[in-house]
Amino acid sequence: ALLPYVEDVNRLDQNDQNAAHICCKYGELACLRVLAANGVDLARRDHAGLQPFHVAAMHNSADCVAFLFEMGVAAFGERCAAGKLPFHYAAEFGSLDTLKQLCAYHADLTVPDAEGNTAAHYAARNDRLDCLVYLIRQGVPVDRVRNNAGRNVPHVCCLHGAVRCLHWLFENAHIDPLSLDGSQSSC
């Protein structure tokens, strides 16, 4: 009902986000569809280089992720200004449904960001146990892959106090205690 009164459907807010970013943040698929039909830029980057696809991943808007794929504007290789991919945000923010959705589209969940962090590093850093367990069950290695600082996922758990994740890793034998040896890294 408001569209006839809108001068520019791509008007930006103070963060350089358009209405598509806001729809993805709140999971408003119906609104996103209406905006898309009326010319909203579904690939617009905000001041942090985030596209609506990144925002949907961040806020667990799996339906919006699916719609953006249908529209052909979502791409796994689209990095934000910080070098993160959408599934890095999903793991960081605990967006398990979106992480599963991205995996269903055959995303390689082992690809690191610019600092060498994988989605598992982000899940561990923020103690997102459900995301970390899912990633491990998808075959993402946690003790062999190190970021640019030389830290593997158990190191990141220790560094950031992710007790639930670290406890689960030890209980389920997903880490070799020798992998925490500082002689192999710069930690």
Side-chain angles (χ1 to χ4, degrees):
L2 293 173
L3 282 172
Y5 304 100
V6 175
E7 289 179 29
D8 180 11
V9 74
N10 283 302
R11 187 172 183 155
L12 305 176
D13 67 8
Q14 69 275 12
N15 296 316
D16 289 334
Q17 292 186 337
N18 65 16
H21 288 90
I22 306 306
C23 287
C24 288
K25 179 177 182 178
Y26 293 103
E28 294 294 336
L29 179 59
C31 291
L32 187 60
R33 287 183 188 278
V34 169
L35 288 166
N38 285 277
V40 76
D41 183 357
L42 296 173
R44 167 74 188 176
R45 291 185 181 271
D46 68 7
H47 71 279
L50 299 173
Q51 293 179 317
F53 185 44
H54 294 100
V55 175
M58 189 181 298
H59 292 282
N60 205 23
S61 299
D63 291 340
C64 291
V65 166
F67 175 71
L68 293 169
F69 268 108
E70 288 172 23
M71 297 300 293
V73 295
F76 294 118
E78 289 295 326
R79 294 182 184 269
C80 69
K84 294 181 186 178
L85 296 164
F87 57 84
H88 293 136
Y89 283 109
E92 179 178 4
F93 284 84
S95 301
L96 182 60
D97 294 336
T98 300
L99 197 58
K100 289 178 179 179
Q101 181 78 15
L102 293 169
C103 190
Y105 286 112
H106 307 291
D108 180 358
L109 300 174
T110 63
V111 174
D113 69 359
E115 297 175 359
N117 293 306
T118 65
H121 284 89
Y122 281 106
R125 175 181 293 172
N126 295 284
D127 210 14
R128 307 293 189 187
L129 181 58
D130 54 349
C131 289
L132 183 61
V133 170
Y134 177 76
L135 290 165
I136 289 169
R137 291 185 176 150
Q138 296 304 309
V140 175
V142 293
D143 61 343
R144 294 183 321 249
V145 177
R146 295 176 185 263
N147 63 17
N148 296 352
R151 296 183 178 109
N152 62 18
V153 171
H155 290 133
V156 170
C157 288
C158 293
L159 182 65
H160 293 279
V163 176
R164 293 177 334 125
C165 287
L166 189 61
H167 183 76
W168 188 88
L169 288 169
F170 274 115
E171 274 190 348
N172 293 281
H174 287 285
I175 54 175
D176 175 5
L178 297 177
S179 71
L180 296 174
D181 173 320
S183 66
Q184 297 177 6
S185 72
S186 59
C187 298

mmCIF file of all heavy atoms in Angstrom, residues 69-88:
data_model
loop_
_atom_site.group_PDB
_atom_site.id
_atom_site.type_symbol
_atom_site.label_atom_id
_atom_site.label_comp_id
_atom_site.label_asym_id
_atom_site.label_seq_id
_atom_site.Cartn_x
_atom_site.Cartn_y
_atom_site.Cartn_z
ATOM 1 N N PHE A 69 18.475 -16.860 -3.560
ATOM 2 C CA PHE A 69 19.022 -17.844 -4.498
ATOM 3 C C PHE A 69 18.109 -17.971 -5.717
ATOM 4 O O PHE A 69 18.585 -18.003 -6.848
ATOM 5 C CB PHE A 69 19.198 -19.215 -3.845
ATOM 6 C CG PHE A 69 20.550 -19.414 -3.250
ATOM 7 C CD1 PHE A 69 20.723 -19.426 -1.883
ATOM 8 C CD2 PHE A 69 21.666 -19.580 -4.050
ATOM 9 C CE1 PHE A 69 21.970 -19.600 -1.332
ATOM 10 C CE2 PHE A 69 22.921 -19.755 -3.506
ATOM 11 C CZ PHE A 69 23.066 -19.761 -2.134
ATOM 12 N N GLU A 70 16.809 -18.048 -5.471
ATOM 13 C CA GLU A 70 15.841 -18.132 -6.574
ATOM 14 C C GLU A 70 15.976 -16.941 -7.516
ATOM 15 O O GLU A 70 15.838 -17.090 -8.727
ATOM 16 C CB GLU A 70 14.412 -18.165 -6.027
ATOM 17 C CG GLU A 70 13.995 -19.435 -5.359
ATOM 18 C CD GLU A 70 12.636 -19.295 -4.690
ATOM 19 O OE1 GLU A 70 11.838 -18.413 -5.094
ATOM 20 O OE2 GLU A 70 12.368 -20.064 -3.757
ATOM 21 N N MET A 71 16.224 -15.785 -6.945
ATOM 22 C CA MET A 71 16.332 -14.558 -7.737
ATOM 23 C C MET A 71 17.691 -14.439 -8.438
ATOM 24 O O MET A 71 17.901 -13.535 -9.240
ATOM 25 C CB MET A 71 16.098 -13.328 -6.856
ATOM 26 C CG MET A 71 14.706 -13.260 -6.261
ATOM 27 S SD MET A 71 13.400 -13.197 -7.504
ATOM 28 C CE MET A 71 13.689 -11.612 -8.237
ATOM 29 N N GLY A 72 18.618 -15.332 -8.106
ATOM 30 C CA GLY A 72 19.928 -15.334 -8.747
ATOM 31 C C GLY A 72 20.889 -14.274 -8.240
ATOM 32 O O GLY A 72 21.873 -13.959 -8.902
ATOM 33 N N VAL A 73 20.623 -13.717 -7.065
ATOM 34 C CA VAL A 73 21.512 -12.671 -6.537
ATOM 35 C C VAL A 73 22.380 -13.155 -5.387
ATOM 36 O O VAL A 73 23.269 -12.437 -4.945
ATOM 37 C CB VAL A 73 20.722 -11.418 -6.082
ATOM 38 C CG1 VAL A 73 20.061 -10.750 -7.260
ATOM 39 C CG2 VAL A 73 19.718 -11.766 -5.002
ATOM 40 N N ALA A 74 22.135 -14.343 -4.903
ATOM 41 C CA ALA A 74 22.928 -14.879 -3.803
ATOM 42 C C ALA A 74 24.056 -15.728 -4.376
ATOM 43 O O ALA A 74 23.825 -16.582 -5.229
ATOM 44 C CB ALA A 74 22.057 -15.723 -2.886
ATOM 45 N N ALA A 75 25.259 -15.452 -3.894
ATOM 46 C CA ALA A 75 26.419 -16.220 -4.352
ATOM 47 C C ALA A 75 27.300 -16.545 -3.154
ATOM 48 O O ALA A 75 27.560 -15.678 -2.320
ATOM 49 C CB ALA A 75 27.203 -15.433 -5.401
ATOM 50 N N PHE A 76 27.754 -17.789 -3.076
ATOM 51 C CA PHE A 76 28.578 -18.207 -1.944
ATOM 52 C C PHE A 76 29.874 -17.427 -1.844
ATOM 53 O O PHE A 76 30.385 -17.197 -0.771
ATOM 54 C CB PHE A 76 28.917 -19.698 -2.046
ATOM 55 C CG PHE A 76 27.728 -20.580 -1.920
ATOM 56 C CD1 PHE A 76 27.349 -21.401 -2.957
ATOM 57 C CD2 PHE A 76 26.979 -20.592 -0.765
ATOM 58 C CE1 PHE A 76 26.243 -22.220 -2.846
ATOM 59 C CE2 PHE A 76 25.872 -21.394 -0.641
ATOM 60 C CZ PHE A 76 25.506 -22.219 -1.684
ATOM 61 N N GLY A 77 30.405 -17.015 -2.959
ATOM 62 C CA GLY A 77 31.704 -16.361 -2.970
ATOM 63 C C GLY A 77 31.660 -14.873 -2.709
ATOM 64 O O GLY A 77 32.692 -14.206 -2.764
ATOM 65 N N GLU A 78 30.499 -14.318 -2.408
ATOM 66 C CA GLU A 78 30.380 -12.879 -2.160
ATOM 67 C C GLU A 78 30.866 -12.556 -0.753
ATOM 68 O O GLU A 78 30.204 -12.865 0.228
ATOM 69 C CB GLU A 78 28.939 -12.412 -2.349
ATOM 70 C CG GLU A 78 28.482 -12.416 -3.781
ATOM 71 C CD GLU A 78 29.229 -11.414 -4.650
ATOM 72 O OE1 GLU A 78 29.613 -10.338 -4.168
ATOM 73 O OE2 GLU A 78 29.424 -11.740 -5.836
ATOM 74 N N ARG A 79 32.008 -11.922 -0.700
ATOM 75 C CA ARG A 79 32.591 -11.537 0.596
ATOM 76 C C ARG A 79 32.206 -10.100 0.938
ATOM 77 O O ARG A 79 32.071 -9.268 0.059
ATOM 78 C CB ARG A 79 34.101 -11.662 0.550
ATOM 79 C CG ARG A 79 34.576 -13.104 0.378
ATOM 80 C CD ARG A 79 36.105 -13.199 0.387
ATOM 81 N NE ARG A 79 36.542 -14.543 0.137
ATOM 82 C CZ ARG A 79 36.775 -15.449 1.094
ATOM 83 N NH1 ARG A 79 36.608 -15.129 2.346
ATOM 84 N NH2 ARG A 79 37.178 -16.665 0.776
ATOM 85 N N CYS A 80 32.065 -9.837 2.223
ATOM 86 C CA CYS A 80 31.821 -8.473 2.674
ATOM 87 C C CYS A 80 33.163 -7.743 2.768
ATOM 88 O O CYS A 80 34.210 -8.319 2.451
ATOM 89 C CB CYS A 80 31.118 -8.476 4.028
ATOM 90 S SG CYS A 80 32.167 -9.061 5.381
ATOM 91 N N ALA A 81 33.151 -6.517 3.230
ATOM 92 C CA ALA A 81 34.385 -5.739 3.332
ATOM 93 C C ALA A 81 35.390 -6.389 4.282
ATOM 94 O O ALA A 81 36.604 -6.240 4.115
ATOM 95 C CB ALA A 81 34.072 -4.312 3.777
ATOM 96 N N ALA A 82 34.909 -7.137 5.274
ATOM 97 C CA ALA A 82 35.794 -7.814 6.229
ATOM 98 C C ALA A 82 36.293 -9.159 5.705
ATOM 99 O O ALA A 82 37.032 -9.860 6.398
ATOM 100 C CB ALA A 82 35.073 -8.022 7.557
ATOM 101 N N GLY A 83 35.878 -9.553 4.506
ATOM 102 C CA GLY A 83 36.335 -10.803 3.906
ATOM 103 C C GLY A 83 35.537 -12.030 4.305
ATOM 104 O O GLY A 83 35.929 -13.150 4.005
ATOM 105 N N LYS A 84 34.398 -11.828 4.984
ATOM 106 C CA LYS A 84 33.579 -12.954 5.424
ATOM 107 C C LYS A 84 32.559 -13.328 4.356
ATOM 108 O O LYS A 84 32.047 -12.484 3.632
ATOM 109 C CB LYS A 84 32.824 -12.610 6.706
ATOM 110 C CG LYS A 84 33.696 -12.402 7.911
ATOM 111 C CD LYS A 84 32.807 -12.103 9.105
ATOM 112 C CE LYS A 84 33.585 -11.739 10.328
ATOM 113 N NZ LYS A 84 32.670 -11.406 11.447
ATOM 114 N N LEU A 85 32.253 -14.615 4.325
ATOM 115 C CA LEU A 85 31.218 -15.159 3.463
ATOM 116 C C LEU A 85 29.934 -15.330 4.272
ATOM 117 O O LEU A 85 29.973 -15.342 5.506
ATOM 118 C CB LEU A 85 31.682 -16.501 2.894
ATOM 119 C CG LEU A 85 32.905 -16.405 1.974
ATOM 120 C CD1 LEU A 85 33.530 -17.775 1.768
ATOM 121 C CD2 LEU A 85 32.506 -15.793 0.648
ATOM 122 N N PRO A 86 28.791 -15.470 3.615
ATOM 123 C CA PRO A 86 27.532 -15.593 4.361
ATOM 124 C C PRO A 86 27.522 -16.708 5.412
ATOM 125 O O PRO A 86 26.990 -16.516 6.507
ATOM 126 C CB PRO A 86 26.503 -15.851 3.257
ATOM 127 C CG PRO A 86 27.073 -15.135 2.074
ATOM 128 C CD PRO A 86 28.565 -15.366 2.169
ATOM 129 N N PHE A 87 28.133 -17.851 5.120
ATOM 130 C CA PHE A 87 28.083 -18.924 6.122
ATOM 131 C C PHE A 87 28.986 -18.638 7.314
ATOM 132 O O PHE A 87 28.766 -19.174 8.392
ATOM 133 C CB PHE A 87 28.365 -20.304 5.513
ATOM 134 C CG PHE A 87 29.676 -20.441 4.807
ATOM 135 C CD1 PHE A 87 30.825 -20.716 5.498
ATOM 136 C CD2 PHE A 87 29.734 -20.308 3.429
ATOM 137 C CE1 PHE A 87 32.032 -20.856 4.837
ATOM 138 C CE2 PHE A 87 30.935 -20.441 2.760
ATOM 139 C CZ PHE A 87 32.093 -20.709 3.470
ATOM 140 N N HIS A 88 29.976 -17.757 7.167
ATOM 141 C CA HIS A 88 30.751 -17.317 8.336
ATOM 142 C C HIS A 88 29.826 -16.569 9.300
ATOM 143 O O HIS A 88 29.883 -16.763 10.515
ATOM 144 C CB HIS A 88 31.911 -16.408 7.923
ATOM 145 C CG HIS A 88 32.967 -17.100 7.134
ATOM 146 N ND1 HIS A 88 33.525 -16.548 6.012
ATOM 147 C CD2 HIS A 88 33.569 -18.308 7.289
ATOM 148 C CE1 HIS A 88 34.429 -17.366 5.512
ATOM 149 N NE2 HIS A 88 34.468 -18.455 6.268
#
